[in-house]
Amino acid sequence: MRRSAASPDLDMSSLLRWLQEEHVAGADLQKVVRRMPLPLFVKDGASRLLMMNPACEAMWGIRFADIAGSDGTGLYPPEQLRIYHEHDRLAFARGATIIEEAPLWHAGMMQLRWMITHKHPVYDDDGQPHLLIGSCLDITERRHRETALEQALAVARQAAGSQQDATERQHRRLTLDLREDLAQNLVALKLDLATLHARTGAAQPLLHQRAAQALSTLDASLAAVRDIINELHPATLELGLSAAVEWQLQQLGQRGTRCVLRVADDSATLDQQRSGALFHLIRQGLDYAAGQQPGTLEVELSLGRERLAVTITSAAPLSAANAEVLVAMRNRLTGLGGKLDLSRHSLRLIVPGQALSWAEGREVT
């Protein structure tokens, strides 16, 4: 049994199929269109409005009697009409239903609304554009929610970026303090102990032994301080991001990971905060890739002003282990306005240039 085209549960796709199968036209088509609860309209091949049902009148904020036979000229802003007519022509050119999302001025509400519209072309016996049958849905509230969400995300990214900047400034300040105070004091103490150790010997064997033990402890303390300094803000960062990455690869090489560095572009000059933030992200990515399986890591740096891209490729497949590391990296990159792409063998960090801060020259201390 064939379902009636006026059934309230008939959707747009079923309606279009029914109209084409039955070749409904004229008064019958008008009855179908008017009785449908879904906002519907019909245009001719020149985008002139032939029919629209009450639901469409309410959604568009205009009576059919005021727009009948018109293509909308004088009733809607020219920039909006241009979009509507382009989509009409596109539907006829493709010969298939197209979906458009476009603004619509609602005269009754005196505000701009957003519509998502389905347009389906119908041709005459000669294959020429005949009718355009359309349905529409008001998505204004959804657009408002999306806009509000985008604004909230932008504020969150800005706050995260500010927090990262503050963290990098703090790291750099702590590093300078450690170098200038603790590290220098430990070096001075080591010189004193070395002098004491040199002046004692067979005559004072116990003191000589204790001085040697103190020197060994002091060397371990100096190494620990250097590790902390490098973890916070390695000195090579003052020479630029690529120099710091090269140093980090050397550290990995000393631990048994073979590393290859390729620098495709090194024209970007970042400020200290962004340079430090990116370096810590790259180091996280290197540790993640190196920790999967022993093998070779290839790192390509493309550090340009329009975009920064760092690709870390592992000879061994990257597993999904330590997913929390990837989540942390993605969150940190989001704060920088960037993204993280992960494939079977590589990690790719991408940050657009407009999301970064630039320095006029590299500061070397």
Side-chain angles (χ1 to χ4, degrees):
M1 179 178 178
R2 179 175 293 161
R3 183 169 54 176
S4 168
S7 299
D9 61 338
L10 189 65
D11 61 19
M12 182 62 179
S13 298
S14 300
L15 172 65
L16 294 173
R17 286 197 301 271
W18 187 85
L19 291 173
Q20 286 186 301
E21 290 170 1
E22 299 298 324
H23 303 286
V24 176
D28 291 334
L29 178 58
Q30 188 170 3
K31 288 179 182 179
V32 171
V33 171
R34 289 192 62 81
R35 293 179 64 183
M36 287 293 292
L38 185 70
L40 296 175
F41 61 89
V42 179
K43 294 181 178 182
D44 65 11
S47 296
R48 292 184 294 259
L49 200 67
L50 301 180
M51 302 177 195
M52 63 188 296
N53 64 359
C56 191
E57 289 180 315
M59 185 168 289
W60 288 8
I62 190 170
R63 298 185 309 163
F64 174 60
D66 297 330
I67 197 174
S70 167
D71 66 355
T73 301
L75 297 172
Y76 294 102
E79 62 274 12
Q80 292 182 20
L81 280 177
R82 179 182 57 81
I83 296 174
Y84 307 154
H85 294 166
E86 283 181 357
H87 289 158
D88 293 350
R89 291 191 294 270
L90 183 62
F92 283 120
R94 289 185 177 178
T97 301
I98 68 165
I99 302 173
E100 68 178 27
E101 187 173 314
L104 176 76
W105 175 254
H106 194 293
M109 296 182 179
M110 295 299 292
Q111 62 177 229
L112 194 66
R113 309 292 292 179
W114 280 88
M115 304 289 163
I116 186 166
T117 305
H118 293 68
K119 293 180 177 178
H120 183 82
V122 177
Y123 304 88
D124 61 19
D125 294 337
D126 296 325
Q128 296 302 310
H130 179 49
L131 297 177
L132 192 66
I133 304 172
S135 69
C136 50
L137 178 67
D138 191 326
I139 59 169
T140 305
E141 300 308 318
R142 190 195 78 184
R143 292 271 302 201
H144 287 169
R145 290 193 295 269
E146 290 175 350
T147 300
L149 179 59
E150 289 173 359
Q151 291 174 345
L153 289 174
V155 170
R157 283 194 294 266
Q158 185 177 8
S162 298
Q163 180 61 42
Q164 287 178 353
D165 287 348
T167 300
E168 293 303 327
R169 284 195 297 269
Q170 179 72 356
H171 284 177
R172 190 163 183 259
R173 186 188 64 79
L174 288 173
T175 298
L176 292 175
D177 289 345
L178 286 172
R179 287 178 190 156
E180 294 175 2
D181 296 331
L182 182 58
Q184 289 185 10
N185 290 339
L186 289 176
V187 170
L189 181 58
K190 181 179 179 178
L191 291 175
D192 291 340
L193 282 173
T195 301
L196 178 62
H197 182 263
R199 290 181 178 178
T200 58
Q204 298 174 298
L206 183 58
L207 183 58
H208 186 76
Q209 182 183 3
R210 292 292 177 84
Q213 292 173 349
L215 279 172
S216 178
T217 301
L218 197 55
D219 284 338
S221 299
L222 279 168
V225 170
R226 282 194 295 270
D227 288 343
I228 292 172
I229 289 174
N230 289 330
E231 184 68 26
L232 291 173
H233 190 87
T236 50
L237 260 176
E238 307 297 332
L239 302 177
L241 183 58
S242 58
V245 172
E246 184 177 3
W247 170 83
Q248 183 64 34
L249 292 179
Q250 291 172 356
Q251 304 303 303
L252 286 175
Q254 293 174 6
R255 298 201 293 265
T257 301
R258 182 174 179 269
C259 300
V260 177
L261 175 64
R262 295 185 177 89
V263 181
D265 187 358
D266 192 21
S267 59
T269 306
L270 297 167
D271 66 12
Q272 290 293 340
Q273 283 71 44
R274 290 295 189 271
S275 182
L278 284 168
F279 172 75
H280 288 298
L281 276 166
I282 295 169
R283 178 154 59 184
Q284 270 189 300
L286 289 170
D287 289 342
Y288 178 84
Q292 300 286 310
Q293 296 181 36
T296 300
L297 290 183
E298 294 186 3
V299 180
E300 180 176 299
L301 302 180
S302 180
L303 310 179
R305 289 190 66 88
E306 294 185 358
R307 188 187 72 158
L308 275 72
V310 180
T311 304
I312 302 170
T313 304
S314 172
L318 300 176
S319 70
N322 299 323
E324 65 276 5
V325 174
L326 298 177
V327 172
M329 290 180 65
R330 283 196 171 96
N331 290 339
R332 199 165 188 178
L333 270 170
T334 298
L336 290 172
K339 66 175 182 176
L340 173 67
D341 292 335
L342 177 65
S343 66
R344 180 171 172 80
H345 285 274
S346 67
L347 287 168
R348 186 172 174 85
L349 291 72
I350 303 173
V351 183
Q354 60 267 27
L356 295 167
S357 298
W358 308 100
E360 292 303 321
R362 287 178 178 153
E363 177 185 357
V364 180
T365 59

